[in-house]
Amino acid sequence: PAHSEAAGKLSQAVAHFNEADVPFVINLGDIIEGNDTDEQTVSDWKAVEGALRPLKPKLHSVIGNHCLRLPGPKRALMD
């Protein structure tokens, strides 16, 4: 989907996983765009973090190359 649709698609996925009552969800990485600035990368992460907040199952994340753009301390949030 286009980037502008991504947050809505993620929210739909979270609702689906919550309804499916799965024990965990795996994020396969690159859940944010590869950006030119740390500020935009952090902004993208905050939007993703907000969309994931209602997720009931445990989230396990694999860090993708786009996620490596997160400043060091924020990268730990992928755990």
Side-chain angles (χ1 to χ4, degrees), residues 37-75:
T37 67
D38 287 349
E39 293 80 16
Q40 185 59 47
T41 299
V42 170
S43 175
D44 284 357
W45 173 249
K46 286 181 181 179
V48 166
E49 196 174 36
L52 290 173
R53 196 165 288 122
L55 184 66
K56 293 176 185 173
K58 171 85 171 133
L59 176 64
H60 299 279
S61 294
V62 175
I63 296 177
N65 63 317
H66 294 176
C67 304
L68 293 175
R69 291 281 312 161
L70 281 167
K74 293 278 187 202
R75 197 174 308 143

